[in-house]
Amino acid sequence: DGDAEQRGGWGKGVSLPLLRIAVGPHAAMSSAPARLRSLLARPGCHLMPCCFDPLSARLVEASGFPVTFASGFSVAAAHGLPDTGLLSYGEMEHAMRRITGSLKAVPCIGDGDTGYGNAVNAKRTVAGYARAGLAGIMIEDQVSPKRCGHTQGKAVVDRAAATARVRAAVDAARETAGSADDAIVVMARTDAAATHGLDEALYRAQAFRDAGADILFVEAPRSVEELRRVCSEASGVPHMANLLQGGLTPVLSQSELAELGFKLAAYPLDLLNATIAAQRRTLEALKATGQPSPGDTLPFGELTAFVGFDEYNAEAERYSTGE
């Protein structure tokens, strides 16, 4: 099926080997950036649900998706905050480290916002995210405090500052890696379409590409034709599309995006929306009946298996002294 990324899945009573006990990466496994680069070299457009904490990241991996993205909007929401630049670099780096620590093989791209300052701050952010185990980092050209790309009140820095920010990110990626394949992947984002028009956004995307960005993300194109222009006029590197229900960009199928030239399709808020909706249903049902809502409660054995009890018990048995 051209519109379906290869997925796994789970059924009732299936134990999911998700517990990551080992310290550091597995010796036989390539680095997270190398795995992401390998995925980007494969044909087609790859679906990328966005996570916001270790549990949602594990769900993405258990479902068989090949990549995930730690969404700044959703991470902020999980802290009870809007995506308006209120979380600090340290808080975001801590969240990213927890997310990557929960994943076994799926590479994760982290939202680096504006880099939390000038170009030198952006270098520190990239280096910190690389040490946190991320496969990639997104750096954008908004002023600080930034805004969600589909909301009002956005502003961008000038062309020179934006390009310098990306160049610094690329330098940091190269300086912190032992090889080109192991360098954290830099996704450069521009929000200039909303403030200056698509032509300016495309000019910036081209400049970001020339500065060494590995992936381009032009936020909030408003039509299929604009999506087509993004890939055709800033060619030479992979592009990401951001598919937000109710947002400004048309939500196209996987095959349609691949035909236009997109390599990644991000779904930034679907898991967060599902979490809020399910918890609301459960709370309303508990208030009305004293019982959770039908369909929103797992059998206890399935729940304990998913969060890792079975694997923990197997590890404990392996090191049992018989006492």
Side-chain angles (χ1 to χ4, degrees), residues 6-18:
Q6 181 179 355
R7 297 182 178 88
W10 61 89
K12 294 183 178 179
V14 175
S15 179
L16 297 171
L18 295 172

Side-chain angles (χ1 to χ4, degrees), residues 141-316:
D141 63 356
Q142 285 197 52
V143 301
S144 183
K146 56 79 51 91
R147 296 286 189 273
C148 165
H150 291 253
T151 58
Q152 298 179 347
K154 293 196 300 181
V156 296
V157 298
D158 63 43
R159 287 180 182 178
T163 305
R165 189 180 287 175
V166 173
R167 190 170 69 250
V170 172
D171 286 346
R174 293 170 178 171
E175 291 166 6
T176 55
S179 69
D181 281 349
D182 293 331
I184 188 171
V185 173
V186 174
M187 178 189 297
R189 163 179 163 173
T190 178
D191 286 77
T195 58
H196 294 73
L198 186 63
D199 287 344
E200 173 65 16
L202 291 174
Y203 180 95
R204 291 180 180 225
Q206 293 162 0
F208 297 166
R209 174 199 60 198
D210 296 343
D214 300 293
I215 306 172
L216 297 177
F217 171 29
V218 176
E219 175 66 297
R222 293 172 175 264
S223 66
V224 174
E225 180 55 32
E226 288 193 354
L227 287 166
R228 190 184 310 277
R229 286 188 63 194
V230 165
C231 291
S232 63
E233 296 184 31
S235 60
V237 294
H239 283 265
M240 187 187 85
N242 197 31
L243 304 178
L244 172 63
Q245 295 292 331
L248 300 174
T249 300
V251 178
L252 304 182
S253 69
Q254 183 181 14
S255 59
E256 288 171 326
L257 289 167
E259 184 179 354
L260 291 173
F262 286 93
K263 184 60 65 174
L264 295 173
Y267 297 84
L269 302 182
D270 293 280
L271 293 185
L272 177 65
N273 276 324
T275 299
I276 294 172
Q279 291 190 56
R280 279 179 171 172
R281 286 194 303 269
T282 297
L283 291 168
E284 289 166 1
L286 287 173
K287 183 185 291 185
T289 69
Q291 298 291 328
S293 54
D296 287 325
T297 299
L298 299 175
F300 185 64
E302 186 177 346
L303 175 62
T304 57
F306 184 81
V307 299
F309 276 89
D310 290 353
E311 194 167 356
Y312 174 86
N313 292 335
E315 287 287 299

